[in-house]
Amino acid sequence: MDQENEKNAETEKVRGRSRKKGSGTAIKIAAAVAVILAIGVVGYMVWAQRYQNVFFPNTTINGLDASGQTVDQVKEQIVAGINGYVLTLEERGSGEVSAVIEERILGADIDLHPEFDGSLETLLYAQEPYAWGTHLWKRQEYTIETMVVYDGEKLDTIIGELACMDPQQTEEPVDAYVSDYIDGVGYEVVDEEYGNTPDRERLTEAVTAAICNLAARLSLDESDVYTKPSVTAEDETLKATAEKWNRVTATVVTYLFGSTEEVLDGSTTHDWFAEDDQGIPQLDTACVEEYVKALAEKYDTVYTERTIQTTYGSEATVNGPYGWKIDQSVEAAALAEILISGESQEREPVYSQTAASHDGYDFGDTYVEINLSAQHLYYYVDGSLLLESDFVSGNESRNMGTPTGIYPLTYKQRNATLRGEGYATPVSYWMPFNRGVGMHDASWRGSFGGNIYKTNGSHGCINLPSSVAKTIYENISAGTPVLVYKLSGTESTERTTVPASSRTTSAAAETTAAVVEETTAEETLPAETEEETIAGPAGVSPVQEVGSPTVSGGPGVTQAETSSQENEGPGVTQASEETVAAAPEETAAAAPENVAPVEVPAGPGSASTQEEPASVVGPGA
């Protein structure tokens, strides 16, 4: 126990000595800091006295570093800077010259000289010497305009004569704008152009400040002296305008003409729109109509000359009412609606008349080919020859020659009677193609072909052997193309004789039958001495088969074209009845000169109720 007490007492003695030692160290440190602070204060105050004669740190006067310098030293800098002073202007290039262009203003040219009026001294005396420490991190800039003096009028003249102020050597700024239509791109906002034309007032201010500060160089770009465009590419109105016109011209209409395409897009339609008073694009329908008219002029084939390759290997030229015909008014209205709606699409134009094909010959590969020179006929169906035959055409000695051309078969009719003045000739198979001119059987003839037509021909029709007419009739439909031409070098004197057993007589209406006799010279037809009147059967549409079931449309006929007339074919339209009754001038001109005006007698009954042959006023046998 005594030992433990002695040990504790010894520990207390050690702690006491430690406390005395630590207290002494703190006192020493505090004393040292006090001394240092005192020295610093004294030093700061002593150092402050020098700023009674020199400028504070980080002080510039007219661009010159005056830190720690006396007034006289600053004046010496100014004098040295003025002597031989040159201000170099760094200017923006233009056009293809994008590099910086430099011009110089000489101090001597503007009578530059120093002029000290006590301003430097005033600045120095205004300093608070004991505040010098705050300027170690604080910058102080002064400009004394009266210290550097120059001739203002001379400077103004020099500035006016600078190249950067010459309109012929500079470019004005250009506002951003919406471009014209660009093929494949559309409309876009074109960036503004800044040019390199300084604003005279701002340039003068920048040059004056540079001279007063005795600056060696002045960047006009950094000094922001150039005039600027008022509208930039970020303008929301410009963006909206470009977007609006791109919507208008984005519509693409691809017209299909067989394997050929006509693409109508913004490269064409951008000129068809103009803004109204409210800034809304309006379509010029006259432009649409002109475009559709151009399509028709390019692709319509009705009454256009076509050079065809004949079965004989030679070419012939035909022209007539068969072919394609765009309904321009209807198609223009449809196209305008498409462009306004903005619905891109592929389409075929609306036709008032159609043909079999757009590729190759428009009459396709099903057609009747009639060579008047050779008095020979070919009938092709789907590209294959169905039959060929001699025939007898219009009597040329009586100016009743069969007109050449290309025609759609108007209709076909069983048991028709061909009537003219002084005659009525019944036929079993009647197939007109050019008003009252058509193909039919001529059972009263004993021979066909050769040169019979020259003096003993028909009134314009194509007379066929009965078996040939029957075969054609059973395999042809309304609208089938009929090509009629003359081909020099194919004439023939040979005839095809019809066996006597297959011949019949032709009866005139309500009269005794006149028998057609074959002679060794020419064949003479009974009652074929008067002019006939051309017309279709009364009360019958030109596309309607009379006395037989309805006939399906020919090649190239669409559902819309047949409508209720199921036997319409290419080249036949809903309006073709009127066309046949009163054909265009081209057809009328091609018809025989002695054709009388159209007369329409009473029409026949239906196939189930018809008791007598239908009656057709037109070319006879």
Side-chain angles (χ1 to χ4, degrees):
M1 188 67 177
D2 292 336
Q3 292 179 350
E4 186 175 351
N5 291 332
E6 290 178 358
K7 186 177 180 179
N8 291 336
E10 186 63 27
T11 300
E12 287 297 326
K13 291 180 180 180
V14 172
R15 290 177 177 172
R17 287 195 296 269
S18 297
R19 284 195 293 272
K20 291 179 180 179
K21 183 176 181 181
S23 176
T25 301
I27 293 172
K28 291 178 180 180
I29 292 174
V33 169
V35 171
I36 292 172
L37 289 175
I39 293 173
V41 171
V42 172
Y44 182 88
M45 295 179 67
V46 171
W47 192 259
Q49 300 307 310
R50 69 185 300 270
Y51 287 108
Q52 293 181 355
N53 301 311
V54 301
F55 291 99
F56 283 150
N58 294 319
T59 298
T60 59
I61 301 175
N62 286 34
L64 299 176
D65 186 6
S67 302
Q69 296 190 26
T70 63
V71 170
D72 290 338
Q73 289 173 325
V74 171
K75 290 180 179 180
E76 289 175 2
Q77 280 194 76
I78 293 173
V79 172
I82 288 176
N83 292 334
Y85 176 75
V86 176
L87 174 62
T88 300
L89 305 179
E90 297 176 355
E91 302 168 1
R92 183 188 298 169
S94 63
E96 297 180 356
V97 182
S98 58
V100 174
I101 299 173
E102 294 185 349
E103 291 191 83
R104 292 173 174 79
I105 297 177
L106 305 181
D109 291 342
I110 58 174
D111 297 338
L112 185 67
H113 62 278
E115 188 172 285
F116 305 114
D117 58 358
S119 298
L120 289 174
E121 288 82 357
T122 300
L123 290 178
L124 181 61
Y125 295 153
Q127 290 184 163
E128 293 290 341
Y130 294 107
W132 69 271
T134 61
H135 288 267
L136 293 174
W137 57 83
K138 179 181 178 182
R139 188 172 185 80
Q140 188 70 51
E141 296 180 354
Y142 298 103
T143 298
I144 304 175
E145 295 182 359
T146 58
M147 187 172 62
V148 176
V149 183
Y150 56 87
D151 189 319
E153 290 184 359
K154 289 185 177 180
L155 177 61
D156 188 65
T157 299
I158 290 175
I159 289 175
E161 293 174 350
L162 290 172
C164 66
M165 294 302 299
D166 183 357
Q168 296 183 351
Q169 301 185 55
T170 57
E171 295 178 351
E172 293 287 339
V174 177
D175 290 346
Y177 61 95
V178 176
S179 70
D180 291 334
Y181 184 86
I182 303 171
D183 287 349
V185 177
Y187 294 92
E188 61 181 12
V189 176
V190 179
D191 289 340
E192 67 276 8
E193 296 178 11
Y194 284 86
N196 63 339
T197 301
D199 178 86
R200 176 68 177 264
E201 183 177 348
R202 293 203 298 268
L203 175 61
T204 300
E205 290 176 356
V207 168
T208 299
I211 292 174
C212 288
N213 291 328
L214 298 179
R217 307 185 72 83
L218 174 65
S219 169
L220 301 194
D221 260 322
E222 294 177 2
S223 301
D224 194 25
V225 303
Y226 289 109
T227 56
K228 300 176 182 179
S230 57
V231 180
T232 70
E234 298 305 313
D235 185 81
E236 292 301 325
T237 300
L238 287 184
K239 292 180 180 180
T241 300
E243 182 180 354
K244 172 181 64 179
W245 285 106
N246 281 328
R247 285 196 305 270
V248 167
T249 57
T251 308
V252 178
V253 179
T254 303
Y255 279 101
L256 303 178
F257 298 92
S259 60
T260 302
E261 294 183 351
E262 289 284 345
V263 178
L264 175 64
D265 57 20
S267 61
T268 300
T269 61
H270 72 273
D271 284 332
W272 296 2
F273 289 87
E275 288 186 348
D276 61 13
D277 295 340
Q278 285 73 42
I280 300 174
Q282 298 294 326
L283 178 64
D284 186 347
T285 56
C287 296
V288 180
E289 292 167 357
E290 283 297 317
Y291 178 80
V292 173
K293 179 181 178 182
L295 285 182
E297 290 173 349
K298 184 174 182 180
Y299 292 101
D300 280 2
T301 57
V302 170
Y303 290 109
T304 62
E305 285 196 353
R306 278 149 280 182
T307 300
I308 62 171
Q309 187 73 25
T310 68
T311 302
Y312 298 86
S314 301
E315 292 182 340
T317 300
V318 293
N319 187 342
Y322 180 88
W324 297 99
K325 186 175 183 180
I326 296 174
D327 191 326
Q328 295 186 35
S329 60
V330 175
E331 180 56 33
L335 178 56
E337 184 176 345
I338 291 169
L339 295 175
I340 293 171
S341 68
E343 297 179 1
S344 297
Q345 59 186 264
E346 290 184 348
R347 67 182 277 108
E348 289 189 20
V350 177
Y351 291 101
S352 58
Q353 183 170 310
T354 62
S357 176
H358 281 294
D359 297 320
Y361 295 129
D362 63 348
F363 51 83
D365 55 9
T366 295
Y367 57 92
V368 179
E369 179 182 341
I370 298 176
N371 182 349
L372 297 177
S373 299
Q375 292 288 287
H376 201 74
L377 168 152
Y378 299 88
Y379 184 26
Y380 293 93
V381 177
D382 296 330
S384 298
L385 180 63
L386 178 66
L387 62 80
E388 61 177 294
S389 174
D390 283 343
F391 60 80
V392 176
S393 63
N395 191 326
E396 291 194 346
S397 66
R398 297 174 59 191
N399 197 26
M400 293 182 179
T402 303
T404 60
I406 177 169
Y407 310 93
L409 189 72
T410 313
Y411 61 92
K412 66 179 184 177
Q413 179 181 342
R414 285 282 278 123
N415 301 323
T417 296
L418 309 182
R419 296 182 182 275
E421 186 175 346
Y423 75 88
T425 305
V427 297
S428 298
Y429 306 100
W430 171 232
M431 296 165 281
F433 55 81
N434 179 12
R435 302 168 75 181
V437 175
M439 298 176 286
H440 62 77
D441 55 302
S443 56
W444 56 88
R445 287 190 181 274
S447 60
F448 297 86
N451 55 9
I452 298 173
Y453 73 101
K454 291 186 177 180
T455 57
N456 197 22
S458 71
H459 289 81
C461 287
I462 304 298
N463 288 185
L464 296 167
S466 294
S467 61
V468 173
K470 179 178 184 294
T471 301
I472 294 177
Y473 184 93
E474 291 173 346
N475 292 275
I476 202 168
S477 59
T480 300
V482 179
L483 287 62
V484 186
Y485 61 86
K486 294 180 179 180
L487 188 62
S488 178
T490 61
E491 297 85 354
S492 175
T493 58
E494 297 183 3
R495 304 180 183 183
T496 299
T497 301
V498 178
S501 60
S502 63
R503 305 177 202 171
T504 63
T505 59
S506 176
E510 299 180 2
T511 63
T512 304
V515 180
V516 179
E517 303 255 347
E518 181 178 359
T519 67
T520 56
E522 300 287 351
E523 292 183 326
T524 304
L525 297 180
E528 276 200 356
T529 59
E530 303 294 336
E531 296 181 358
E532 66 271 8
T533 301
I534 297 177
V540 179
S541 167
V543 295
Q544 179 180 354
E545 178 184 351
V546 179
S548 65
T550 55
V551 181
S552 61
V557 179
T558 66
Q559 189 71 23
E561 290 162 351
T562 59
S563 184
S564 61
Q565 304 279 1
E566 294 184 356
N567 63 333
E568 290 187 21
V572 180
T573 68
Q574 294 293 331
S576 60
E577 179 177 3
E578 181 180 348
T579 303
V580 173
E585 293 181 5
E586 292 88 343
T587 302
E593 294 180 0
N594 61 347
V595 173
V598 175
E599 294 181 5
V600 182
S606 65
S608 60
T609 60
Q610 182 174 341
E611 297 178 355
E612 296 183 4
S615 195
V616 178
V617 179

